[in-house]
Amino acid sequence: RDRFGWLYHSLIVDVGGHDGDGFGSSLDLKGDLLVIGSPTYMTDIGKAGCVTVWRRNSMDIWQVEERLLAQDRVEGDNFGTSVSLDSSGEMLVGSPGRDTNGIDSGLAIHYSGGQDGWFETARFGSFVAQPGDRFGTSVGLVENHAFIGSPYSSFSGPFSGQVVSYRRSNSIWILQPFLNPDPGSSGTGFGATLAIEGNLLAVGAPMDMGTEAMPSGSVNIYRYQQEWIFESSLQG
C-alpha cells in the first residue's frame, strides 16, 4: 500500500502442492508471518489437509517455513479449513471433518513455535463437538482466548450454529459459556465465520433469514467484560 492505494506485490504458490488441494481456502497474516490452509491437501493417507507457514525475508520475499500436518491425520479431516494467528507466536487450526466424537464432529489444534519449528500444544473439541457440528469451520485466537465455530450445531435449534470459547489460565484452557443464536433459531450458520480484535468479537451467521424471504445473513458483536457479552447485531 502506498499513498495512492493498493499495488500488486507478489503471487504465492505452494510448489509442493497438488491439484485440488484448496490452497488459500483460509489464511491469516501477522507482520512477517503468513499461514495458509489447504484443507484437501493430498497427504500419505489421502486428502487430509495441511497448513503452510510462510515468512517474509529481508529481500521482501515470502518463503515456506514449515508444512503442518495433523499427527494422526485421516482422510477427510479438512485440516486447515480455518487458521488464526496470534502475535505472540501461537496458531489455531480448524479441522471440521475430523470424526472426534462422531462423523464430522470436528476438532481444533493449537500450535506454538516460530522459526525453530511449530509444535502441537493443545486440542479442542472433545466432549463438546457433536456429530455433524463441523466444529472448527472457523477459529479465532487472541492472547488467552480461543474461539471455535460450529455452524451446524443444533444446540439452539436445527443447524442453528454455535461458537465454543475457551480462556487460558496458568497454561490450562478452560471451557467458557457457549455463544449461541437466539433459542429456536434454525439453519442460521451461526459461527461460520469469526473475527476478533482486542476485546471485540464478531460472529457471522450467513444463512440467517432475518425478516427476509431468503437468507440475508447477520453478524453478532460481543465485547469482553469479564465474560463475552452480546452488544449488537448487524443485519444483511
Side-chain angles (χ1 to χ4, degrees):
R1 182 176 59 184
D2 64 13
R3 63 193 179 115
F4 299 109
W6 290 91
L7 302 175
Y8 174 80
H9 179 272
S10 57
L11 177 68
I12 296 177
V13 177
D14 183 4
V15 295
H18 321 86
D19 288 344
D21 281 350
F23 178 74
S25 293
S26 64
L27 47 81
D28 199 5
L29 174 67
K30 291 286 188 300
D32 292 330
L33 191 63
L34 171 69
V35 290
I36 303 176
S38 301
T40 50
Y41 174 79
M42 181 64 75
T43 70
D44 55 331
I45 52 84
K47 293 188 174 185
C50 78
V51 170
T52 45
V53 182
W54 304 71
R55 195 175 294 272
R56 185 169 51 185
N57 63 21
S58 59
M59 301 296 291
D60 208 22
I61 297 173
W62 291 95
Q63 295 180 316
V64 178
E65 180 174 284
E66 189 170 347
R67 186 183 303 277
L68 295 176
L69 302 169
Q71 295 178 355
D72 52 349
R73 53 191 172 274
V74 177
E75 186 170 15
D77 279 352
N78 298 141
F79 178 82
T81 292
S82 56
V83 292
S84 181
L85 273 174
D86 184 34
S87 57
S88 62
E90 298 181 336
M91 183 194 322
L92 192 58
V93 180
S95 184
R98 174 62 69 93
D99 300 337
T100 306
N101 295 331
I103 296 175
D104 287 348
S105 52
L107 175 75
I109 303 178
H110 179 272
Y111 293 88
S112 296
Q115 290 177 301
D116 294 330
W118 292 84
F119 307 94
E120 180 181 323
T121 48
R123 290 192 172 198
F124 304 95
S126 297
F127 312 111
V128 175
Q130 302 300 314
D133 278 0
R134 300 285 294 177
F135 176 92
T137 296
S138 63
V139 295
L141 180 67
V142 59
E143 295 182 352
N144 292 314
H145 296 272
F147 302 89
I148 299 100
S150 299
Y152 296 100
S153 167
S154 296
F155 185 86
S156 296
F159 308 113
S160 55
Q162 182 179 71
V163 173
V164 180
S165 67
Y166 299 83
R167 180 178 58 83
R168 184 167 49 191
S169 177
N170 297 323
S171 301
I172 298 175
W173 290 97
I174 302 170
L175 184 65
Q176 301 296 292
F178 297 162
L179 305 180
N180 296 297
D182 292 336
S185 299
S186 177
T188 66
F190 181 88
T193 54
L194 294 172
I196 184 168
E197 177 69 24
N199 66 340
L200 288 176
L201 170 70
V203 179
M207 298 303 292
D208 189 356
M209 298 289 289
T211 59
E212 305 296 325
M214 297 292 287
S216 55
S218 65
V219 174
N220 280 4
I221 308 297
Y222 298 83
R223 184 182 298 273
Y224 188 70
Q225 297 172 333
Q226 306 305 316
E227 60 180 304
W228 292 93
I229 305 296
F230 172 77
E231 184 168 274
S232 60
S233 180
L234 309 176
Q235 302 298 318

